[in-house]
Amino acid sequence: MTDGTVYSGSHWQRYATNDTDQAHNFVRQAFLDIKVRSYAKGRDGAGLRTATTALADVGVTRLHYSARTQAQTAPDGDLNITHLMGGRFTIAKNKDEYRLRPGDVMLILPDQSADLAYDNVDTFVARLPRALLEEVAHTQTGISGADLRFDGPRPISPTLGRHWTQTLSHLTRGVLSDPALLTNPLVAGNTRHLLAATALAVFPNTAHAATPRAVGEVTPQALRRAVTYIDQHADQPVTVDQVAAAAGVGPRALQLALRRHHDTTPMRYVRQVRLQRAHRDLQAADPTTGATVTVIAKRWGFTNLGRFSTDYRAAYASSPSHTLRT
């Protein structure tokens, strides 16, 4: 292993070093600032090996680090969620101490310092920017960004902890391992929002207790503006806040109005429009030129082909492959 070497395999950027200072600097730059209090090298020195990929402002890193280290964090507001695969990892705040076992999930509180101790760790770390979390929390509950606060490092329940690891595992295999999907703006947008929504559901935070704000009546004209915006931007990343702004109403009001008048949600309607576009492309495509169901589905942001096929059959009483062939 060469100190400070960066080496790339497909879209994953890999880094390795045995130099302790370089290892600590990597942690500071990739995740959050730390003040190292003590460390003890293993047989391979610091022994840091990482593989990182990014989805716009979201980063996912597989990290192996052999040095036994004690450090204090200096968080910057972003969220770092760790899934421990092996080794020992402890986080302590005041008198509370959380000792992770392999398979456990925790977050490093984004607004509070904590004491960390780790030794020979193998982890998956997802870094989510504060702005993304505030956007998704506001869309879901109406809470303002200034009021969003995470209250503890542990998942609300073991079941929700497993939900985080399963979601990240699915996205790692299905999206983050495919360079074509990483550059697809629809897939990237959906994946970023899914990770943020999952983090908000899994860990205790003030959005859970947010009281939905009173919303006014949404006029038929506003609903038409929302629908028109979605129709015109279905080939681009679309958020509820963007649709609501185009309609001239609040996100919560838009959600309630679409549910009341169309029995749907803004993002479900976006998915419906994209399914219609995929259907249109399947009808127009010529399979002898290399067109496939997979290529067309992914073009419109459908990464789970099984779910795409199920939804397609429900909508068109036919399989995507049959439509492509006829």
Side-chain angles (χ1 to χ4, degrees):
M1 185 184 300
T2 303
D3 284 348
T5 299
V6 177
Y7 53 102
S8 297
S10 82
H11 56 289
W12 288 84
Q13 186 178 60
R14 302 178 186 272
Y15 178 84
T17 183
N18 287 328
D19 182 275
T20 303
D21 290 337
Q22 292 184 12
H24 294 160
N25 284 335
F26 177 90
V27 172
R28 294 185 182 102
Q29 294 173 12
F31 309 116
L32 76 171
D33 195 13
I34 58 170
K35 178 181 179 181
V36 177
R37 291 177 169 173
S38 66
Y39 67 89
K41 296 181 180 179
R43 288 179 298 177
D44 298 324
L48 175 71
R49 291 181 290 119
T50 71
T52 301
T53 192
L55 204 61
D57 51 0
V58 172
V60 176
T61 300
R62 180 72 180 267
L63 180 149
H64 301 77
Y65 187 45
S66 63
R68 185 169 67 253
T69 305
Q70 291 185 328
Q72 185 178 54
T73 67
D76 58 7
D78 290 345
L79 208 66
N80 289 279
I81 302 174
T82 294
H83 174 208
L84 186 65
M85 313 291 287
R88 293 181 290 278
F89 202 132
T90 300
I91 180 170
K93 174 66 177 176
N94 297 327
K95 295 182 180 181
D96 296 326
E97 184 176 87
Y98 181 21
R99 294 186 179 184
L100 279 76
R101 297 172 297 178
D104 284 347
V105 175
M106 74 160 188
L107 68 81
I108 296 175
L109 291 174
D111 303 312
Q112 303 175 34
S113 64
D115 295 316
L116 306 181
Y118 42 93
D119 181 15
N120 197 29
V121 291
D122 176 8
T123 67
F124 249 118
V125 185
R127 179 180 173 87
L128 305 179
R130 174 84 188 194
L132 174 62
L133 293 160
E134 291 179 357
E135 174 191 337
V136 174
H138 175 71
T139 298
Q140 291 182 337
T141 68
I143 189 174
S144 71
D147 293 331
L148 178 63
R149 185 184 68 254
F150 284 83
D151 299 321
R154 303 171 185 259
I156 294 172
S157 70
T159 298
L160 284 173
R162 289 191 294 273
H163 177 55
W164 170 261
T165 61
Q166 291 164 358
T167 300
L168 187 59
S169 176
H170 165 70
L171 294 176
T172 300
R173 293 194 309 268
V175 176
L176 302 180
S177 61
D178 189 334
L181 293 182
L182 283 173
T183 58
N184 183 316
L186 300 183
V187 175
N190 290 341
T191 301
R192 291 173 64 253
H193 282 80
L194 174 59
L195 283 172
T198 303
L200 289 165
V202 168
F203 295 97
N205 61 81
T206 51
H208 288 275
T211 301
R213 296 173 300 181
V215 296
E217 184 66 26
V218 175
T219 65
Q221 293 86 347
L223 273 180
R224 284 196 294 272
R225 289 195 296 268
V227 168
T228 298
Y229 182 88
I230 292 172
D231 289 340
Q232 293 177 347
H233 295 81
D235 60 340
Q236 304 168 29
V238 174
T239 68
V240 175
D241 281 350
Q242 290 171 334
V243 179
V249 300
R252 183 67 176 169
L254 176 65
Q255 290 176 321
L256 292 176
L258 275 174
R259 187 176 296 279
R260 182 183 306 120
H261 297 290
H262 297 284
D263 193 27
T264 190
T265 66
M267 297 317 295
R268 194 179 301 155
Y269 183 76
V270 171
R271 183 178 176 84
Q272 176 184 330
V273 171
R274 289 172 178 163
L275 189 66
Q276 292 170 353
R277 304 290 171 83
H279 173 62
R280 181 194 62 191
D281 286 359
L282 286 167
Q283 289 178 312
D286 181 355
T288 64
T289 63
T292 66
V293 171
T294 298
V295 168
I296 292 172
K298 290 181 177 180
R299 178 186 304 157
W300 290 102
F302 297 101
T303 59
N304 186 323
L305 294 181
R307 182 181 174 190
F308 171 71
S309 294
T310 299
D311 291 348
Y312 189 92
R313 284 180 180 274
Y316 301 106
S318 176
S319 70
S321 57
H322 178 75
T323 300
L324 180 62
R325 292 193 305 267
T326 57

